[in-house]
Amino acid sequence: MTDKQKQSITEDQWQDAKLIWDYHQMHHEPRSCDVAIGLGSHDLGVAAFAAQLYRAGLFATLVFSGGNSPTTAARFPRGEAVHFREHALELRVPDEAILLEPNAGNTGQNITLSREVLAAAGVEPQSVLLISKPYMERRSYATARKLWPEVEVVCASEPLEFDDYVKAIGDEKLVIDMLVGDLQRVIEYPKLGFAVEQEVPGEVHAAYERLLGAGFDSRILKP
């Protein structure tokens, strides 16, 4: 962290954020699956890691899913999935291995529309490798279990430590805001029927409440 950012984010808040970061990850061991879905976001590392796993032989078919959102439109003007596909092609993933789902605007649509794209291609998987940002693993898992319960879901993300991810993004406050926002969705989405419920340990929930109270709330869904 820079000196300025150290002044605004305390060590206790940093430790709370690391606790939530660890909770968001499912700690699955990446393994061979019938297909993979790369979930669109601001993080091009998803496409890079998907390419790495493809070259390791973990799957034969890769769907990139995602349209535009307010947080990615400037970075990926032609849509998240389109830019992810182009990056994967640069990393030696063959074009015939990639299916494109360019319309999803949220995680539920990532799952349902990717499923439709696969079905249209004649692919009905029994297992799916979900590749996402590190702190999106648990929410994507809970969403997939709700919307596609008949498939086995394995989660994967770039194997980065929290500090390294923050450095890569370059905005400590924003990353913590995103961690808090994703945890709110893990807690609240099951009540809305969007995801299956996930147990939130007491220490994780307490860290969430402290960070929320300290103003790390730019990604919180408002009532």
Side-chain angles (χ1 to χ4, degrees), residues 32-55:
S32 295
C33 289
D34 295 332
V35 301
I37 300 174
L39 301 176
S41 69
H42 63 83
D43 187 353
L44 201 59
V46 173
F49 194 54
Q52 179 182 328
L53 295 179
Y54 174 83
R55 295 195 305 270

Side-chain angles (χ1 to χ4, degrees), residues 63-190:
V63 182
F64 282 122
S65 173
N68 275 127
S69 74
T71 57
T72 63
R75 179 172 171 79
F76 302 130
R78 285 172 287 115
E80 298 157 1
V82 171
H83 286 267
F84 278 27
R85 171 185 170 274
E86 291 171 351
H87 192 53
L89 292 174
E90 293 171 356
L91 296 173
R92 307 191 311 279
V93 178
D95 188 33
E96 60 269 21
I98 302 175
L99 297 174
L100 204 62
E101 187 296 292
N103 300 310
N106 56 53
T107 308
Q109 291 176 0
N110 286 142
I111 303 301
T112 56
L113 296 181
S114 293
R115 183 179 183 178
E116 292 174 5
V117 166
L118 286 163
V123 181
E124 296 187 4
Q126 300 299 306
S127 58
V128 175
L129 185 64
L130 285 183
I131 307 171
S132 69
K133 300 172 291 189
Y135 64 85
M136 193 180 168
E137 281 192 23
R138 187 170 295 275
R139 180 159 63 89
S140 63
Y141 175 82
T143 303
R145 295 301 303 140
K146 179 70 176 184
L147 299 177
W148 205 354
E150 61 269 33
V151 302
E152 182 179 2
V153 177
V154 179
C155 293
S157 62
E158 261 191 305
L160 294 172
E161 296 295 332
F162 176 61
D163 294 38
D164 293 330
Y165 186 83
V166 170
K167 289 176 184 176
I169 299 299
D171 188 331
E172 287 91 339
K173 171 68 163 58
L174 176 61
V175 172
I176 298 177
D177 282 358
M178 292 190 293
L179 294 178
V180 171
D182 254 54
L183 184 48
Q184 182 206 29
R185 288 159 175 79
V186 168
I187 295 167
E188 298 298 331
Y189 276 3

Side-chain angles (χ1 to χ4, degrees), residues 23 26 138 142 183 186-187 190 196-202 204-205:
Y23 170 75
M26 297 299 296
R138 187 170 295 275
L183 184 48
V186 168
I187 295 167
V196 299
E197 190 168 352
Q198 298 285 287
E199 181 181 356
V200 181
V204 174
H205 202 281

